[in-house]
Amino acid sequence: MILQFKENEVEKEVARLTKAYDIVRLVDPEECHAFTIGEDNSYVYGPSCYSVWRSTNRCRNCTSLRALKTGMELRKTEVKDGDLYFITSRPIEILRADDTTFSCVIEMIHIERGKGMKRDGHHAVLQDGFDKRAFAETLRMAMQNLPTGIIWFDTEQHCIYANSEAFRLFEVPDDLQELEAILTNWFQEDALRSPEAAVWLQQYERAGAPASFQICRYPLNDGAGAEVGMYFLISDCTQDQKNMDLEHFGTMHDNLTGIYNKYGFYRQARRVMEENPGIPYLMVCLNFGDFKLLNGLYGMTKGNELLMRVGSMLRRHYGTGCTDGLRAHPRGPLRDADSRGHL
């Protein structure tokens, strides 16, 4: 059961939970922003959700977004600069003064400093009598066939090893210097400087199209425990990111007409008006009278066709300059759609 709070009760709940966690905050996962409720019950949007663990990208598989959609409390662990972040996402509903509800998430975060690096007390063991040179060659061949890109850098930030998948991901020949030049320019600023373990998502332009790579960075030590550099594990998660984007699109748009649904309309209207506070807007509501009669006489197929034609018309006339064909214009319609014949 999703917990419900009145607007004047939410901050009290956050304050209560703060006693047990390092960070507690209200999050709108659809907007991907933390927010607070002001004394006048206004919703003040703050930093991006992922800013807590100093990431620069939205989470590939956002737990808070899934919690919001499923109505279930979910948990996950993030690693950043050697710290472990234990995040609990609890979906709630805020009861507004106008009797409407706002669905969001309370994120409760516990941080364990310096615990993000693997320290399990175990060591790699090689059977006595096994030829170490033969083992080194076997290990090299095994890494060449891994489906994850592996790249090693020394303490001078020079690339000293890359497997076949790493070269394939960045579409370069087997040339360490060329790969090093690409990575040095592409990696985030502190990627080659910080010795701490970290995981993040980063975009790469590949063959004219953006790709999403998940990057895991770990310190590289010799047999005696001395630091000799770092290594990166890089995985292509482009399709996973596209799937999440499509899922996010579906929560914001009407699946028939492709224009904003009521939830997406509210979000877009608020964003546009906040970004342009001095511009007046005109909101227009269209309603097909006796739409059920139309469906009854001609069938739902014809009714859906009419809705799609109107949606297409709105995009053509009011969607200039927006990638999804929708935009709120000064003194033009901010709009939403539903399957009952309302636009």
Side-chain angles (χ1 to χ4, degrees):
M1 180 178 177
I2 297 179
L3 297 176
Q4 291 185 334
F5 298 91
K6 295 180 180 179
E7 288 177 320
N8 59 358
E9 298 173 338
V10 175
E11 293 301 329
K12 294 180 182 179
E13 177 67 9
V14 170
R16 183 185 71 83
L17 293 170
T18 300
K19 298 177 181 179
Y21 294 89
D22 295 298
I23 299 174
V24 179
R25 59 187 188 159
L26 294 171
V27 166
D28 181 350
E30 293 286 359
E31 292 276 10
C32 204
H33 278 276
F35 71 93
T36 57
I37 301 178
E39 294 182 358
D40 59 350
N41 290 333
S42 61
Y43 289 60
V44 181
Y45 278 68
S48 302
C49 294
Y50 44 75
S51 63
V52 164
W53 40 91
R54 301 187 298 283
S55 179
T56 59
N57 299 277
R58 183 184 179 113
C59 303
R60 178 171 55 132
N61 188 17
C62 178
T63 304
S64 291
L65 184 60
R66 289 192 291 115
L68 183 70
K69 291 182 177 181
T70 62
M72 299 173 58
E73 182 173 299
L74 300 176
R75 294 175 176 82
K76 72 171 179 179
T77 303
E78 290 281 346
V79 179
K80 183 64 178 177
D81 292 338
D83 298 332
L84 276 177
Y85 292 75
F86 298 92
I87 304 107
T88 300
S89 298
R90 177 176 297 167
I92 66 168
E93 288 183 346
I94 300 176
L95 303 177
R96 290 170 162 165
D98 59 1
D99 293 330
T100 61
T101 60
F102 176 68
S103 297
C104 60
V105 168
I106 295 181
E107 279 190 357
M108 299 161 285
I109 303 173
H110 173 65
I111 305 174
E112 291 190 3
R113 303 294 182 185
K115 296 297 182 65
M117 298 173 65
K118 187 176 181 181
R119 295 188 179 92
D120 56 13
H122 297 284
H123 301 278
V125 177
L126 181 63
Q127 184 178 0
D128 291 340
F130 193 88
D131 185 87
K132 291 186 178 181
R133 290 185 179 180
F135 171 74
E137 179 61 19
T138 301
L139 183 60
R140 184 189 67 81
M141 294 177 63
M143 287 192 294
Q144 283 294 91
N145 295 324
L146 285 176
T148 300
I150 302 176
I151 302 171
W152 295 2
F153 278 81
D154 62 17
T155 54
E156 301 298 322
Q157 301 181 9
H158 293 306
C159 185
I160 58 176
Y161 173 81
N163 68 350
S164 297
E165 179 65 7
F167 289 115
R168 189 196 67 80
L169 287 174
F170 293 94
E171 298 183 326
V172 298
D174 295 349
D175 187 329
L176 286 177
Q177 290 185 343
E178 184 175 345
L179 183 61
E180 177 185 315
I182 291 174
L183 295 175
T184 302
N185 292 326
W186 173 69
F187 270 145
Q188 296 178 5
E189 184 177 355
D190 65 341
L192 293 173
R193 297 178 183 175
S194 174
E196 302 291 344
V199 180
W200 71 93
L201 192 70
Q202 193 166 332
Q203 302 294 314
Y204 181 73
E205 192 76 16
R206 185 174 60 184
S212 298
F213 292 162
Q214 178 175 283
I215 307 167
C216 304
R217 179 187 66 205
Y218 300 99
L220 183 62
N221 301 318
D222 62 12
E227 182 182 324
V228 295
M230 65 188 71
Y231 68 96
F232 296 84
L233 304 179
I234 303 179
S235 304
D236 188 347
C237 57
T238 304
Q239 189 58 50
D240 291 341
Q241 190 68 30
K242 288 181 179 179
N243 292 341
M244 191 183 78
D245 291 342
L246 287 173
E247 184 179 4
H248 180 257
F249 182 90
T251 65
M252 295 282 293
H253 295 77
D254 177 66
N255 59 5
L256 180 63
T257 62
I259 65 177
Y260 285 120
N261 57 25
K262 185 175 294 185
Y263 185 48
F265 166 75
Y266 289 154
R267 284 187 51 198
Q268 175 73 343
R270 182 181 69 246
R271 183 185 68 81
V272 171
M273 289 188 288
E274 287 178 350
E275 292 178 355
N276 305 277
I279 298 178
Y281 288 87
L282 176 64
M283 184 169 66
V284 177
C285 177
L286 304 179
N287 183 18
F288 295 101
D290 296 323
F291 195 77
K292 290 183 178 179
L293 179 61
L294 176 70
N295 283 334
L297 290 174
Y298 300 101
M300 292 190 64
T301 300
K302 286 296 182 181
N304 289 343
E305 181 180 333
L306 176 60
L307 289 176
M308 288 188 289
R309 284 178 178 270
V310 174
S312 178
M313 178 192 68
L314 290 174
R315 284 197 300 270
R316 285 199 310 271
H317 291 284
Y318 301 105
T320 305
C322 189
T323 55
D324 66 354
L326 301 171
R327 168 174 279 183
H329 288 263
R331 304 198 65 80
L334 294 166
R335 56 198 174 277
D336 68 347
D338 63 35
S339 58
R340 296 169 297 175
H342 299 281
L343 290 167

